Amino acid sequence: MWALLVLSPSMQIRDIPQPIYAPAFAGCQREIICGLLEQRDVVMSQVYSRQYGPMQVGATIFTPDWVEYAFGSTQWSVKKSTLADHECMVLTLQSITRHDEKRNHEYWASDNLVWWVGMDGKILRQWEVRSMPDGILVADALYGADSITVTVGDPTQLNAKSREYFPTSMEKLNDQFKPMIDDKKVLLQEKDYDVFNPFEGTFEHHKAKIDGLFAGTYMNIKFKGRVASIIHPKYTERSYISDERELIRSDLAPYRYLLLMTAPESKKDGHWEIRNLSEAPKRNLPRPTDISHLPPR
């Protein structure tokens, strides 16, 4: 009975405007496949790359044309920390994307996410800010033993609303960060997991699987590792993760990619340097507040 209630659209938190624009491209590909391992700040560029042609118009033949440009960036890190006296790993992710799909209507979208995950693999807290042309929404979700307490609202309107959700399986939510690869060994060939969308009050089913091996050269550095597919409700990603468990590239939607822009820790030399996020319009976004306690586990 709870499953039907939780997954029903009527269970969205009322009086909170729902975004009508597409959010920024998210990340977490490495953490979904490898689990939460400590990682210094990594920057990846969101790149559009496509070859057109050759084309023939009348008697004229146009040579192939290659179009490539950056349309955003993603930056994330994983660090050890504590939350209400719970030792945990903290995954912090910032993503900025320029969309131009609404009949050449260009707009920027940004997404800031923070996950607190206990050393036992259980999610403790999920915090997210979505900034789009129609406004800013903030969601704060506290995970308990069998429920999630969510507060969602627009900080500029002081209209925050709270609700409690009862997932059918907390284990499926925790499986999002369950490791599939340990060093060079495959622990899980595939896994099913759920991701909670706090803005819509829904639980989205995903699947990840190890597809095979890859080897190649990028930025004059040789890499080899494994290819993994992450199957989202609306699209599938293919991510390339090195034997050192570092994300090198991820194929997003058609002709859109995430490409590494900072030196992998295992390959760092004098020719690499940290790159800043793209110069997109920025807003003063809220930051997660401290909490004095967690729901009982």
Side-chain angles (χ1 to χ4, degrees):
M1 184 63 178
W2 281 346
L4 294 176
L5 289 174
V6 169
L7 294 175
S8 170
S10 64
M11 287 298 287
Q12 292 178 1
I13 298 177
R14 301 190 177 201
D15 303 322
I16 297 297
Q18 295 300 311
I20 61 174
Y21 292 89
F25 277 105
C28 301
Q29 294 90 348
R30 169 184 176 268
E31 286 66 39
I32 291 171
I33 302 302
C34 300
L36 291 173
L37 305 170
E38 283 193 275
Q39 175 71 64
R40 64 175 178 79
D41 283 318
V42 174
V43 179
M44 301 194 79
S45 181
Q46 300 171 15
V47 176
Y48 178 92
S49 182
R50 184 177 183 180
Q51 182 176 1
Y52 294 87
M55 294 176 50
Q56 181 172 351
V57 179
T60 304
I61 298 178
F62 294 90
T63 58
D65 186 21
W66 191 277
V67 177
E68 185 170 288
Y69 59 87
F71 63 92
S73 61
T74 299
Q75 177 176 351
W76 82 95
S77 65
V78 181
K79 299 177 181 178
K80 286 185 178 179
S81 185
T82 58
L83 180 66
D85 297 327
H86 291 266
E87 187 177 358
C88 60
M89 303 297 289
V90 180
L91 166 61
T92 304
L93 183 143
Q94 302 173 7
S95 189
I96 301 174
T97 300
R98 187 186 77 228
H99 291 286
D100 57 1
E101 293 136 357
K102 291 181 177 287
R103 297 183 178 179
N104 296 321
H105 172 60
E106 181 181 295
Y107 65 93
W108 287 92
S110 68
D111 213 350
N112 292 326
L113 298 96
V114 186
W115 295 85
W116 288 261
V117 181
M119 306 309 287
D120 58 359
K122 294 180 179 179
I123 299 174
L124 304 176
R125 185 182 180 191
Q126 173 185 352
W127 183 88
E128 184 171 356
V129 176
R130 285 187 179 177
S131 176
M132 287 174 278
D134 52 349
I136 300 174
L137 279 179
V138 180
D140 194 355
L142 298 178
Y143 286 61
D146 57 4
S147 66
I148 304 174
T149 303
V150 185
T151 302
V152 179
D154 182 341
T156 65
Q157 302 297 323
L158 301 177
N159 63 350
K161 305 287 184 179
S162 297
R163 191 172 195 117
E164 188 172 18
Y165 294 87
F166 293 87
T168 55
S169 173
M170 296 296 289
E171 184 178 357
K172 283 291 185 184
L173 293 167
N174 294 326
D175 283 347
Q176 176 178 359
F177 300 119
K178 186 175 183 179
M180 301 178 68
I181 297 175
D182 181 14
D183 198 10
K184 299 179 182 180
K185 180 170 53 175
V186 175
L187 303 177
L188 292 172
Q189 193 65 38
E190 63 178 63
K191 69 176 180 181
D192 294 282
Y193 62 94
D194 294 334
V195 178
F196 178 55
N197 183 332
F199 299 105
E200 299 181 7
T202 57
F203 295 84
E204 301 168 351
H205 182 70
H206 297 66
K207 176 179 284 190
K209 60 180 182 177
I210 307 300
D211 293 328
L213 303 173
F214 82 92
T217 301
Y218 176 65
M219 291 293 217
N220 293 322
I221 299 177
K222 294 185 181 299
F223 293 98
K224 61 185 182 69
R226 297 189 181 274
V227 183
S229 291
I230 302 174
I231 304 170
H232 301 271
K234 296 182 179 179
Y235 64 97
T236 298
E237 298 181 30
R238 283 174 62 85
S239 296
Y240 300 78
I241 299 172
S242 70
D243 286 340
E244 294 80 18
R245 291 179 287 182
E246 295 168 327
L247 180 63
I248 310 302
R249 161 181 160 173
S250 190
D251 301 346
L252 305 173
Y255 313 115
R256 288 169 170 81
Y257 310 89
L258 277 179
L259 295 178
L260 183 67
M261 296 299 290
T262 52
E265 195 67 33
S266 62
K267 308 283 187 179
K268 187 176 179 180
D269 61 31
H271 300 288
W272 287 83
E273 64 179 0
I274 300 291
R275 296 287 299 275
N276 292 325
L277 287 173
S278 61
E279 294 299 323
K282 295 179 176 60
R283 304 186 185 187
N284 293 322
L285 298 176
R287 296 189 176 276
T289 56
D290 292 332
I291 57 174
S292 59
H293 66 278
L294 286 174
R297 298 197 58 78

